[in-house]
Amino acid sequence: MPADRVEPPEDLLQRPEIEVYKHDRRSRVWRVADEPGDANTAAAASGVKNSGGGWVVKRFEHNLKRQRLARAVGQHPAQREAKWNERLLTAELPVVPIAASGVDDAGRSWLATRHVGVSLYNWLRQSDPDDPATQRQRRALTRQLGAIVGRLLVNKVVHGDLKASNLIVDTAGRLRMIDVGACRGGKGTPLLGQALPMLKMLLANLRDAASYHPNLAAVAVSRAERMRFFIALRATWPTPPDGLQYLLRHPELR
């Protein structure tokens, strides 16, 4: 079986859970193991929850009649997410590919991706700021994050849910996006109109993650990191777009 596919896809819904990431009225997100059977119990018991391996299933929980209608007109959130996942992959942006999808017996749409690592949100909460290896990885992640945002902007993509919790640090230390259904085409939108809402959301989410760390001052986003981020962002553009000179002056980003 190829590493990025599972057959039959519906088999994923029947496997025991390793962990649940989210469950509300809109969606339920949980993780299952690579294969059905005792591996699920062993993985859960070992406490190895943030390692690679397994699958993450996202099932949409909102009104079933609305789901059926949305699917019929091609506007279901699962359809939009799959479309943007493919578009960003085609544009060579780092996205975790959607490997399986379907509709369950109750009529709820679902998607599945490989479990490849821990979210940037949880990585920041759990990191040891005094560890030199962590410091090196944090610098690398900051540059990768700047490059991702820069490439979104240069491709005229507005990401309406760009948060640290929707960015995954994989087992190789690479940053990859998930949950890209809130992306929209931003053709004709001025640079600041695209950049500032995304950057404000991202910064607020990073600050929230840092607030849970016992050493808040050590893990908070520093001025040097903001500059490292913007240098990496700028490096993705062949020429400076109009409005670039104003980005660093916005009070929310100081």
Side-chain angles (χ1 to χ4, degrees), residues 75-160:
Q75 292 300 315
H76 193 284
Q79 293 170 314
R80 292 199 299 268
E81 186 166 339
K83 177 187 72 175
W84 275 103
N85 187 279
E86 184 177 356
R87 285 184 177 180
L88 296 179
L89 285 170
T90 301
E92 298 184 346
L93 278 145
V95 185
V96 180
I98 292 173
S101 63
V103 179
D104 70 6
D105 294 339
R108 299 169 293 193
S109 289
W110 60 271
L111 305 166
T113 59
R114 266 291 184 187
H115 180 274
V116 296
V118 63
S119 71
L120 179 60
Y121 187 94
N122 285 331
W123 185 91
L124 187 61
R125 288 180 60 179
Q126 300 164 4
S127 63
D128 177 5
D130 297 323
D131 180 14
T134 299
Q135 294 170 5
R136 289 192 297 271
Q137 186 175 10
R138 180 162 170 154
R139 288 193 289 270
L141 291 173
T142 301
R143 295 188 183 96
Q144 290 181 51
L145 186 55
I148 288 172
V149 176
R151 290 171 65 187
L152 285 171
L153 292 173
V154 83
N155 281 283
K156 300 290 186 182
V157 174
V158 179
H159 194 327

Side-chain angles (χ1 to χ4, degrees), residues 106-233:
R108 299 169 293 193
S109 289
W110 60 271
L111 305 166
T113 59
R114 266 291 184 187
H115 180 274
V116 296
V118 63
S119 71
L120 179 60
Y121 187 94
N122 285 331
W123 185 91
L124 187 61
R125 288 180 60 179
Q126 300 164 4
S127 63
D128 177 5
D130 297 323
D131 180 14
T134 299
Q135 294 170 5
R136 289 192 297 271
Q137 186 175 10
R138 180 162 170 154
R139 288 193 289 270
L141 291 173
T142 301
R143 295 188 183 96
Q144 290 181 51
L145 186 55
I148 288 172
V149 176
R151 290 171 65 187
L152 285 171
L153 292 173
V154 83
N155 281 283
K156 300 290 186 182
V157 174
V158 179
H159 194 327
D161 200 22
L162 184 65
K163 300 185 296 188
S165 49
N166 287 335
L167 292 156
I168 301 296
V169 183
D170 70 16
T171 52
R174 297 169 300 189
L175 207 55
R176 302 166 71 178
M177 290 183 285
I178 58 169
D179 201 3
V180 295
C183 288
R184 297 291 182 270
K187 285 189 176 180
T189 306
L191 173 68
L192 293 179
Q194 295 181 63
L196 288 181
M198 291 195 296
L199 295 178
K200 288 168 65 177
M201 176 182 292
L202 179 60
L203 184 60
N205 196 236
L206 288 169
R207 285 173 172 166
D208 183 66
S211 70
Y212 287 92
H213 199 283
N215 191 350
L216 173 59
V219 299
V221 179
S222 67
R223 181 178 179 83
E225 286 178 321
R226 290 195 292 270
M227 292 302 299
R228 190 176 292 121
F229 170 91
F230 282 114
I231 290 170
L233 182 153

Side-chain angles (χ1 to χ4, degrees), residues 13 59-69 71 76 102-110:
L13 302 181
R59 186 178 66 201
F60 295 85
E61 301 287 312
H62 60 282
N63 184 275
L64 297 180
K65 291 182 179 179
R66 289 177 57 193
Q67 290 205 47
R68 285 194 292 270
L69 178 60
R71 280 195 299 268
H76 193 284
V103 179
D104 70 6
D105 294 339
R108 299 169 293 193
S109 289
W110 60 271

Side-chain angles (χ1 to χ4, degrees), residues 46-66:
S46 71
V48 183
K49 292 187 175 183
N50 292 328
S51 60
W55 302 87
V56 177
V57 183
K58 177 180 180 180
R59 186 178 66 201
F60 295 85
E61 301 287 312
H62 60 282
N63 184 275
L64 297 180
K65 291 182 179 179
R66 289 177 57 193

